Amino acid sequence: MGGKSALELLEGRQPRVLACDDSEVNLAMVTRVLERGAFHVTRAHSGEEVLETVERQPFDLVLIDINLPGINGIDVCRKLREQQTSRVYLPIIMLTANTEKHARVTALQAGATDFITKPFNPDELLARIHNHIAAKRLHDHLFTMNQILEEEQAKVFKVQTGLLPASFPTVDGLRFGGAYKPFSMAGGDFYDAFERPDGTIILAISDISGHGIPAAMHMSTLRATLHSEADAGADLITIMERLNRILCYCLDPYSFVTFYLATFNPQTGELIHTCAGHHPPLLHDLESNVIKEIPVPITIPMGVDLEEFEPKCSTHQIMPGQRLYLYTDGIIEQRDRAGNFFEMAGLTVTLKSHLQSHVEFIPSLIMATLEKYLEGRDQSDDLTMLVMETPKDAPDKE
Amino acid sequence: MELVFEGNDEKLNVKVIGDIVADSAGELRESILQLLSRKPEEICLDLAEMPFIDTSGLGVLIGLRTHLKKHSVKLTIINPQDRVLHVFRLTQISKLFGME
């Protein structure tokens, strides 16, 4: 549309009506009435001519006699509706005789917008056409505005997706997988995995309450701060406190952020982690196929309070051949048609069933399982998961 | 979600019936903020009949706590169901409401 709304395009332009009747006398009369109402009239004498003309040029309304030789008015109407896209809304008014009550119902069912009974009152015809064209213009305007909004939202989504790791660290046989499925076009979750200059791996997952553009903006702030602090060698507690301070200033009081942050040393298998209001990670031992939540000290979520925010770290040893899962609560809080939550049980059973799957695909497999669980209904929250798998053989300790 | 108001002007009890999720969280916020005109000392949310709360709902509870604190009104939570209590404890939001 080149930035111009349909309304702007139509405004000031004479409304265009395509009128069709096989009787030259009737068509001349209709044309006279319409031209008196300041409409631009294009004339057609058959259903075939209507279909051809509509394909060639845009109209604001079609006025068509129900009884036509060849393709009759109802079939023309049906064909026009079949060809119609959501972009274009074309009002169709049928001209019927007073005796054709059943045909009127059929016409409406075929997608006619309205009908006028012959012999018609010229003022009534003009008034009806005016109303339908006003509705069409409103439709076109709303369609264009909606399209602009969707385009803007898609841009935010693109920027946001660009903030997720494009690739994972390639260190010591570690393998990663990640998936992010926002609730709307732009969501409030994020995950990250990157290597620090000292060779340790930063793992992070976060859930920003709320969705949409504000959440996406906070996400980009979080990620930028996390990277600059982590690359500068800050310890986990310092990073957590800085993130909290930023969020306490910029978040609205009815929002908060949960955050899990860890460093993993691929040489020693040591995981140091801390958490603010987020679910602890799950650890999957591949040999025994046992999944356990690993303990992490949890403080209040970020962006709520400066004094009560007291992040603490703990250390956990990750063994060879184990998978570490970080996830957001959306995963376990999806409900089936009967209202049952997917729950931790649903998640662990699914993860165990994918023991043989490549780690890169695990998060997408979980998303697919949830989609089935939702039975075609929309998800109610952002869904995010990050997985890291340690190689089966012991890390090289030279 | 439905709200039932009880109690006197010093301590107002608000019974929450139904989920607090994105769709209902705003309504809860507005209803509670309106109670400020009655100048209570404490507003107590009874969550015995609230089966589920999502992050938007938790956000509203946190925001209300901060807002009411500025007006010297205490916001308390009683009778959360097991599932909800688990979420409060897991996120440490329980600490903000003195629920431990």
Side-chain angles (χ1 to χ4, degrees):
Chain A
M1 293 239 167
K4 256 193 171 181
S5 74
L7 196 69
E8 281 171 316
L9 288 171
L10 277 172
E11 235 154 44
R13 210 192 69 191
Q14 205 182 8
R16 305 170 71 95
V17 175
L18 175 61
C20 175
D21 202 312
D22 59 319
S23 145
E24 190 58 51
V25 179
N26 288 348
L27 194 56
M29 190 171 65
V30 165
T31 306
R32 232 181 2 260
V33 172
L34 292 175
E35 284 176 348
R36 181 160 65 82
F39 294 104
H40 178 277
V41 184
T42 303
R43 292 145 54 110
H45 300 85
S46 69
E48 288 85 349
E49 208 183 331
V50 169
L51 294 173
E52 278 166 28
T53 316
V54 163
E55 222 161 87
R56 275 204 314 274
Q57 48 176 308
F59 289 95
D60 296 310
L61 188 137
V62 175
L63 181 66
I64 185 167
D65 189 62
I66 202 162
N67 292 311
L68 293 170
I71 313 174
N72 69 33
I74 288 169
D75 287 337
V76 171
C77 185
R78 206 169 278 134
K79 280 214 162 61
L80 286 174
R81 288 296 179 233
E82 275 167 18
Q83 291 162 5
Q84 185 175 293
T85 61
S86 61
R87 176 189 286 273
V88 183
Y89 167 65
L90 182 64
I92 303 169
I93 298 184
M94 289 279 176
L95 285 166
T96 67
N98 202 18
T99 49
E100 297 168 315
K101 284 204 174 104
H102 181 70
R104 276 183 235 154
V105 176
T106 316
L108 289 172
Q109 283 167 344
T113 320
D114 202 356
F115 56 81
I116 299 268
T117 311
K118 290 189 286 190
F120 59 81
N121 173 325
D123 290 334
E124 185 190 341
L125 178 69
L126 288 177
R128 282 186 193 252
I129 290 180
H130 266 289
N131 287 349
H132 288 301
I133 289 182
K136 179 206 164 43
R137 288 185 173 189
L138 190 62
H139 168 277
D140 291 353
H141 180 62
L142 288 176
F143 183 84
T144 311
M145 294 316 283
N146 192 44
Q147 204 176 26
I148 291 168
L149 282 177
E150 273 176 14
E151 279 166 14
E152 289 299 310
Q153 209 179 22
K155 279 182 210 161
V156 173
F157 181 56
K158 214 175 147 197
V159 169
Q160 198 183 24
T161 317
L163 292 173
L164 295 172
S167 62
F168 288 113
T170 45
V171 190
D172 296 288
L174 283 180
R175 298 199 295 180
F176 295 87
Y180 168 56
K181 204 174 164 213
F183 164 66
S184 57
M185 286 284 266
D189 284 2
F190 103 104
Y191 67 87
D192 213 341
F194 58 95
E195 192 184 352
R196 289 222 266 195
D198 66 0
T200 57
I201 309 288
I202 288 276
L203 301 167
I205 192 158
S206 172
D207 183 350
I208 300 162
S209 69
H211 313 274
I213 292 168
M217 283 166 65
H218 293 311
M219 174 183 149
S220 75
T221 309
L222 280 178
R223 184 177 185 267
T225 312
L226 172 64
H227 273 257
S228 66
E229 294 290 333
D231 287 349
D235 63 86
L236 296 187
I237 301 298
T238 308
I239 297 174
M240 293 289 274
E241 279 173 344
R242 294 220 169 120
L243 292 174
N244 182 48
R245 207 168 307 133
I246 290 170
L247 289 169
C248 279
Y249 288 123
C250 74
L251 221 55
D252 81 83
Y254 293 92
S255 301
F256 65 95
V257 171
T258 68
F259 208 95
Y260 169 88
L261 182 63
T263 56
F264 177 68
N265 185 331
Q267 298 303 315
T268 62
E270 187 185 60
L271 181 85
I272 305 172
H273 58 180
T274 178
C275 182
H278 203 87
H279 279 269
L282 298 174
L283 191 65
H284 191 172
D285 184 71
L286 299 179
E287 202 175 296
S288 60
N289 204 14
V290 170
I291 297 179
K292 276 185 190 151
E293 202 171 76
I294 51 175
V296 55
I298 305 176
T299 186
I300 61 164
M302 291 179 174
V304 179
D305 201 299
L306 286 173
E307 273 121 53
E308 308 225 35
F309 187 78
E310 297 170 318
K312 289 186 180 65
C313 283
S314 72
T315 303
H316 196 92
Q317 188 65 34
I318 307 289
M319 305 307 285
Q322 291 191 328
R323 279 178 190 162
L324 183 75
Y325 304 104
L326 312 184
Y327 61 98
T328 55
D329 57 4
I331 300 253
I332 54 173
E333 284 177 357
Q334 295 308 303
R335 281 190 266 198
D336 66 9
R337 208 173 278 281
N340 301 305
F341 291 94
F342 190 59
E343 299 279 19
M344 189 72 90
L347 177 59
T348 51
V349 165
T350 316
L351 289 172
K352 282 181 186 178
S353 75
H354 292 306
L355 185 69
Q356 302 299 332
S357 307
H358 192 294
V359 65
E360 190 187 329
F361 302 124
I362 303 278
S364 308
L365 288 166
I366 296 293
M367 302 298 159
T369 305
L370 282 169
E371 207 171 313
K372 245 184 248 162
Y373 190 76
L374 286 163
E375 297 170 289
R377 287 163 318 120
D378 287 339
Q379 66 194 64
S380 62
D381 199 353
D382 302 326
L383 309 173
T384 306
M385 182 172 241
L386 174 66
V387 195
M388 179 185 78
E389 186 182 298
T390 53
K392 270 194 186 128
D393 304 313
D396 199 1
K397 286 178 192 161
E398 35 183 10
Chain B
M1 183 200 64
E2 206 182 305
L3 301 174
V4 179
F5 301 95
E6 289 162 351
N8 52 47
D9 278 358
E10 272 155 41
K11 186 179 174 182
L12 288 167
N13 279 311
V14 181
K15 201 171 213 175
V16 181
I17 302 164
D19 295 345
I20 309 182
V21 288
D23 292 343
S24 51
E27 188 192 332
L28 175 72
R29 183 185 62 215
E30 294 314 312
S31 307
I32 300 297
L33 290 180
Q34 271 179 20
L35 296 179
L36 279 178
S37 62
R38 289 164 66 174
K39 302 199 184 311
E41 284 170 17
E42 181 181 340
I43 295 176
C44 176
L45 295 177
D46 185 342
L47 304 185
E49 289 176 59
M50 186 195 77
F52 179 65
I53 184 161
D54 72 358
T55 44
S56 314
L58 292 173
V60 163
L61 294 186
I62 288 174
L64 280 172
R65 171 188 165 273
T66 311
H67 193 113
L68 297 189
K69 212 171 155 186
K70 282 184 197 150
H71 290 79
S72 307
V73 180
K74 199 176 165 193
L75 182 67
T76 52
I77 287 171
I78 56 164
N79 302 327
Q81 293 184 14
D82 286 350
R83 188 189 172 82
V84 174
L85 183 62
H86 176 73
V87 172
F88 282 143
R89 287 201 174 130
L90 180 100
T91 54
Q92 287 293 299
I93 287 170
S94 52
K95 193 176 153 192
L96 294 171
F97 289 94
M99 288 163 71
E100 284 164 313

